[in-house]
């Protein structure tokens, strides 16, 4: 940034010099009839000192005198050559510095954008589960992709113009002042009303930009929903409906963009027209000074015009900078909304480090409701689990089983009560340590777009292959993996080889086996498995549960029979607690009813 600013200063000075050099050039050409060129002191120099301090004024004057003396020594053709050479050098230097300035700015820009994207992404991982439930996936993706892109496209323009254009303006303004302060002041008396117009346009554009980015996010959301729900869309024959929804959105998007483009396109010609109005007024007044008053030389007046018209493009650029800033700050707002969302679930100061689970987990007076409603999902839950026990959670859908299980790895914190691991409140334990103790296998099996081996060893880079293969064998996955086109190196997941539901589940079980955590959380899925697959999965699950403390949301009879303890949940409460034999004998108990419904 520093290097770039230095280049910019040099650029602006040389840019000024290239215009300033037109004055001696014109003087040489206009005076071509006379033998020697006289150096006159400018007539309104005395007046200049009102604005510039006297000592500085003297220095500037003697400096310009020196330059003039140098240029005008010698005969005319020599003078012409010198001026041309100086113009050549000024333009060469100006362009070289313009390049390097842009070069270094691009470096800064790309760095800023990368940091912003990384920060937003990293922050996503810190946000609690509830944030993801509340935000639409497409919306989040859109912010990190589209909004960051909007910021990116404007960052360089903004950086470039905020440094370069003001400097250029200052240099040309200096030149204009040194030629005639009266004419300069006159010129700038006419400018403010065009500035007012410029900022007004900026305001409108910013509003439109926010709307645009929201529409973009809606579009991404529809796209995401359609792609991930393609099966349902097809099965229900909803293609036309989805098409209409999408077309409706793109239509809104088109209208918004058109509106923005129209405003932006109108801004440029109107600004230019206003500039010309200003320009005509200046020419009239300047001409008066030359012709009637005679206080200004014709060559100086032309030099002045060059300088003042060189100010116009940067002023125009600055107007677009304003628009760009308005657009990108709307996008930036949306990114910072992510960055500024406080992670609710995080480590407290002096969080306790643990690396083993020794004796028991206690749920003490647990109450829970989700952020968006006051309805109690868990209502006074109390129980203790000893190390090595298998706890099956049973109950009708919506009873709160998944919610209860989500509290264990702190996906959510209870709104009342505590969960103690070996007597330590889970909120006092380092989250990383806590989650290291657990393996989770859910119904929605997530496989990443990587090789089988990397999917099994997810999160570990240094696992020996034998161990991975052993885990795959224990999960009954080894045989089918070997049959894949590239064995363990086959890419699976979204864009890779397709696996059946049972195969996917066995890979996720292998993943959990490899991690070998002392606590297992299991949301059993029975759906979509054929008989053979079910048996293989069943075996794998039983191996996974062995010698571990296991929480299972149970759907299988065998799991329920194997469990040391069954908790029957209804409307957020535990209403029955015991093993299969005990519970089945409780007449009119919910367990007996559920059992009969499901398995008899
Ligand atoms: P189960 O696993 O027993 O089927 P859940 O724990 O999934 O039950 O759900 C219990 C209740 O909590 C349900 O009424 C459900 O609507 C509600 N619920 C689940 N997740 C959320 C959420 N993210 N926000 C608000 N309510 C939720």
């Amino acid at each position: 940034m520093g290097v770039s600013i230095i280049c910019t200063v040099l650029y602006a000075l040389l840019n000024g010099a290239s215009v300033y050099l037109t004055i001696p050039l014109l003087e040489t050409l206009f005076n071509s009839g006379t033998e020697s060129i006289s150096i006159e002191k400018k007539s309104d120099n005395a007046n200049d000192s009102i604005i510039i301090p006297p000592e500085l004024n003297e220095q500037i004057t003697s400096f310009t005198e020196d330059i003039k003396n140098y240029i005008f020594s010698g005969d005319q053709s020599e003078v012409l050559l010198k001026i041309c050479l100086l113009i050549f050098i000024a333009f060469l230097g100006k362009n070289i510095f313009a390049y390097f300035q842009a070069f270094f700015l691009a470096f800064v820009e790309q760095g800023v954008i990368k940091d912003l994207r990384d920060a937003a992404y990293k922050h996503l991982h810190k946000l609690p589960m509830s944030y993801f439930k509340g935000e639409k996936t497409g919306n989040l993706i859109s912010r990190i992709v589209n909004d960051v892109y909007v910021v990116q496209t404007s960052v360089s323009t903004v950086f470039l113009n905020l440094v370069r254009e003001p400097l250029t303006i200052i240099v040309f303004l200096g030149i204009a002042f040194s030629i005639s302060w009266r004419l300069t002041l006159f010129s700038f008396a006419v400018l403010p009303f065009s500035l007012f117009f410029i900022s007004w346009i900026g305001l409108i554009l910013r509003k439109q930009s926010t709307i645009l980015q929201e529409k973009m996010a809606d579009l991404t959301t529809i796209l995401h929903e359609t792609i991930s729900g393609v099966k349902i869309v097809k099965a229900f024959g909803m293609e036309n409906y989805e098409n209409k929804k999408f077309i409706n959105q793109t239509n809104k998007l088109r209208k918004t963009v058109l509106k923005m483009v129209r405003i932006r396109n109108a801004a440029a010609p109107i600004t230019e027209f206003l500039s010309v109005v200003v320009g005509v007024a200046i020419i009239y007044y300047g001409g008066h000074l030359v012709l009637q008053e005679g206080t200004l030389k014709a060559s100086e007046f032309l030099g002045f015009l060059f300088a003042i018209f060189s100010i116009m493009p940067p002023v125009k650029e600055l107007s677009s900078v304003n628009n760009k800033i308005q657009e990108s700050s709307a996008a930036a707002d949306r990114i910072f909304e992510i960055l500024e969302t406080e992670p609710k679930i995080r480590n407290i100061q002096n969080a306790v480090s643990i690396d083993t689970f020794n004796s028991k987990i206690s749920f003490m007076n647990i109450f829970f409701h989700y952020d968006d409603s006051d309805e109690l999902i868990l209502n006074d839950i109390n129980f203790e689990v000893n190390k090595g026990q298998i706890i099956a959670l049973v109950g009708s859908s919506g009873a709160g089983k998944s919610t209860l299980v989500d509290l264990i790895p702190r996906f959510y914190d209870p709104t009342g009560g505590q969960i103690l691991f070996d007597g330590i409140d889970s909120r006092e334990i380092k989250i990383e340590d806590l989650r290291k103790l657990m393996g989770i296998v859910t119904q929605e099996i997530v496989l990443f777009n990587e090789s089988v081996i990397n999917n099994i060893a997810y999160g570990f880079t240094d696992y020996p292959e034998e161990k991975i293969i052993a885990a795959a064998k224990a999960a009954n996955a080894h045989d089918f993996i070997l049959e894949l086109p590239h064995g363990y190196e086959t890419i699976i997941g979204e864009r890779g080889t397709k696996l059946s539901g049972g195969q996917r589940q066995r890979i996720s079980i292998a993943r959990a086996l490899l991690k070998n955590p002392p606590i297992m959380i299991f949301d059993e899925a029975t759906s979509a498995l054929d008989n053979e697959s079910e048996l293989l999965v069943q075996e794998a699950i039983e191996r996974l549960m062995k010698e571990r403390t296991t929480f299972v949301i149970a759907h299988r009879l065998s799991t329920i029979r194997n469990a040391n303890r069954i908790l029957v949940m209804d409307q957020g409460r535990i209403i029955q607690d015991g093993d299969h034999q005990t519970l089945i004998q409780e007449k009119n108990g919910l367990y007996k009813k559920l059992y009969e419904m499901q398995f008899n």
Side-chain angles (χ1 to χ4, degrees):
M1 190 71 181
V3 176
S4 179
I5 288 175
I6 292 170
C7 289
T8 311
V9 172
L10 293 171
Y11 162 85
L13 288 176
L14 287 170
N15 201 4
S18 60
V19 167
Y20 204 72
L21 282 168
T22 56
I23 299 177
L25 178 66
L26 290 168
E27 232 155 80
T28 312
L29 297 176
F30 286 161
N31 290 324
S32 57
T34 25
E35 273 305 303
S36 70
I37 297 149
S38 62
I39 305 156
E40 287 171 41
K41 234 177 170 309
K42 273 205 298 280
S43 50
D44 60 349
N45 250 2
N47 294 339
D48 273 351
S49 56
I50 300 168
I51 293 141
I52 304 168
E55 315 87 66
L56 189 64
N57 188 38
E58 224 158 81
Q59 268 176 19
I60 292 173
T61 316
S62 80
F63 180 64
T64 45
E65 292 306 317
D66 284 349
I67 294 178
K68 281 185 180 175
N69 285 336
Y70 167 71
I71 293 174
F72 291 121
S73 60
D75 63 26
Q76 274 181 351
S77 60
E78 224 176 293
V79 169
L80 189 63
L81 190 68
K82 271 190 217 160
I83 293 172
C84 288
L85 207 65
L86 284 175
I87 290 177
F88 171 78
I89 292 171
F91 272 90
L92 182 70
K94 168 184 136 175
N95 283 301
I96 288 176
F97 287 120
Y99 172 77
F100 279 109
Q101 166 232 37
F103 179 92
F104 287 107
L105 270 183
F107 191 80
V108 175
E109 171 203 36
Q110 292 307 320
V112 168
I113 289 306
K114 182 184 152 39
D115 285 352
L116 194 57
R117 223 175 232 145
D118 289 353
Y121 181 77
K122 278 199 227 155
H123 198 76
L124 276 186
H125 285 298
K126 291 192 200 141
L127 293 172
M129 291 291 280
S130 54
Y131 187 82
F132 295 94
K133 293 261 166 81
E135 285 289 333
K136 293 182 216 152
T137 315
N139 191 316
L140 281 177
I141 294 175
S142 176
R143 287 181 190 208
I144 296 180
V145 180
N146 299 335
D147 289 301
V148 172
Y149 178 73
V150 171
V151 175
Q152 172 186 333
T153 52
S154 28
V155 161
S156 66
T157 335
V158 171
F159 273 168
L160 210 77
N161 294 347
L162 277 191
V163 183
R164 190 172 72 183
E165 310 309 358
L167 272 173
T168 313
I169 293 174
I170 289 169
V171 167
F172 284 119
L173 212 55
I175 292 174
F177 261 110
S178 79
I179 295 172
S180 167
W181 67 269
R182 277 202 288 168
L183 199 49
T184 312
L185 285 188
F186 173 81
S187 314
F188 280 83
V190 230
L191 261 174
F193 79 100
S194 65
L195 284 180
F196 170 77
F197 176 76
I198 287 163
S199 59
W200 178 64
I201 295 231
L203 219 65
I204 300 179
L205 277 177
R206 175 172 189 160
K207 225 164 46 196
Q208 290 299 318
S209 169
T210 314
I211 298 172
L212 177 70
Q213 288 309 109
E214 275 163 10
K215 297 244 151 59
M216 202 69 126
D218 288 345
L219 201 70
T220 319
T221 301
I222 294 182
L223 211 58
H224 181 263
E225 278 175 3
T226 317
I227 293 170
S228 54
V230 63
K231 204 177 196 174
I232 303 297
V233 174
K234 284 192 195 307
F236 282 78
M238 294 297 273
E239 290 92 340
N240 278 340
Y241 172 79
E242 293 294 338
N243 279 346
K244 262 190 214 145
K245 220 161 79 178
F246 191 80
I247 289 167
N248 201 359
Q249 274 307 324
T250 48
N251 217 0
K252 284 186 192 161
L253 192 70
R254 180 183 61 109
K255 281 185 188 153
T256 314
V257 175
L258 265 183
K259 197 165 171 186
M260 274 181 80
V261 171
R262 281 189 199 128
I263 297 171
R264 206 183 296 149
N265 287 346
I270 294 176
T271 317
E272 181 166 306
F273 177 71
L274 290 176
S275 313
V276 168
V277 172
V278 173
V280 169
I282 295 168
I283 292 175
Y284 183 77
Y285 182 63
H288 170 78
L289 290 185
V290 175
L291 299 174
Q292 262 100 42
E293 283 192 18
T295 47
L296 198 64
K297 282 197 278 176
S299 62
E300 285 176 335
F301 178 50
L302 283 175
F304 177 87
L305 282 182
F306 278 133
I308 215 78
F309 282 118
S310 301
I311 291 177
M312 293 303 172
V315 168
K316 236 168 85 179
E317 277 299 313
L318 275 184
S319 84
S320 80
V321 166
N322 182 44
N323 297 346
K324 279 275 184 192
I325 290 178
Q326 302 296 345
E327 276 176 36
S328 62
S329 58
D333 279 350
R334 292 162 51 78
I335 302 164
F336 277 93
E337 226 171 78
I338 299 182
L339 282 171
E340 280 162 11
T341 305
E342 284 282 319
K344 265 184 288 181
I345 295 185
R346 58 170 170 220
N347 285 330
I348 56 161
Q349 265 186 339
N350 310 322
V352 186
S353 244
I354 54 169
D355 56 5
T356 51
F357 166 57
N358 297 317
S359 68
K360 63 179 181 199
I361 306 173
S362 325
F363 293 76
M364 297 175 64
N365 314 101
I366 300 291
F367 289 87
F368 182 82
H369 64 82
Y370 285 101
D371 282 345
D372 47 9
S373 85
D374 290 336
E375 188 197 344
L376 271 184
I377 305 294
L378 297 176
N379 193 346
D380 201 13
I381 303 281
N382 283 287
F383 66 99
E384 269 189 1
V385 178
N386 292 324
K387 188 178 174 175
Q389 277 190 325
I390 297 173
I391 303 292
L393 295 165
V394 177
S396 42
S397 165
K401 305 179 294 285
S402 307
T403 307
L404 178 62
V405 151
D406 276 348
L407 300 185
I408 303 171
R410 283 191 74 195
F411 289 156
Y412 299 92
D413 276 336
T415 37
Q418 316 170 275
I419 301 176
L420 307 177
F421 285 81
D422 294 334
I424 309 170
D425 189 318
S426 62
R427 280 167 291 208
E428 287 166 15
I429 302 171
K430 279 191 182 151
I431 297 174
E432 315 81 270
D433 290 0
L434 187 72
R435 290 185 185 160
K436 232 177 243 165
L437 296 179
M438 299 169 192
I440 297 171
V441 176
T442 57
Q443 291 186 31
E444 290 167 43
I445 293 156
V446 179
L447 296 180
F448 297 91
N449 194 33
E450 289 192 44
S451 63
V452 174
I453 202 156
N454 284 342
N455 263 291
I456 296 179
Y458 180 62
F460 302 95
T461 46
D462 50 355
Y463 257 108
E465 205 170 312
E466 310 89 72
K467 278 201 167 177
I468 295 174
I469 292 174
K473 279 183 177 158
N476 282 340
H478 182 67
D479 291 340
F480 86 78
I481 293 172
L482 287 185
E483 283 168 20
L484 294 174
H486 307 284
Y488 278 85
E489 295 302 330
T490 312
I491 304 292
I492 48 171
E494 271 196 8
R495 277 179 292 150
T497 303
K498 302 291 169 278
L499 300 176
S500 76
Q503 289 171 330
R504 294 168 67 84
Q505 196 162 41
R506 279 178 276 160
I507 287 190
S508 79
I509 291 170
R511 187 190 280 165
L513 279 166
L514 188 71
K515 188 179 177 188
N516 195 18
I519 301 167
M520 243 345 272
I521 296 169
F522 213 84
D523 196 346
E524 255 191 349
T526 43
S527 54
L529 300 186
D530 51 66
N531 282 341
E532 188 218 346
S533 194
E534 160 124 33
L535 210 68
L536 292 171
V537 171
Q538 188 60 39
E539 264 179 32
I541 289 174
E542 273 161 31
R543 280 193 202 119
L544 187 56
M545 287 180 176
K546 221 176 264 169
E547 289 158 27
R548 273 178 243 276
T549 314
T550 308
F551 295 85
V552 204
I553 297 177
H555 298 285
R556 288 187 183 90
L557 186 58
S558 56
T559 312
I560 296 173
R561 286 216 169 114
N562 286 338
N564 303 91
R565 190 168 163 194
I566 300 161
L567 301 176
V568 183
M569 291 188 69
D570 188 37
Q571 294 181 6
R573 290 174 189 275
I574 295 177
I575 54 165
Q576 283 177 298
D577 179 353
D579 64 10
H580 176 70
Q581 288 311 325
T582 330
L583 293 181
I584 203 76
Q585 278 157 20
E586 281 185 26
K587 286 216 171 66
N588 303 324
L590 179 63
Y591 181 77
K592 191 170 157 56
K593 219 163 82 190
L594 284 171
Y595 177 80
E596 280 167 358
M597 255 170 19
Q598 228 170 327
F599 304 111
N600 265 355

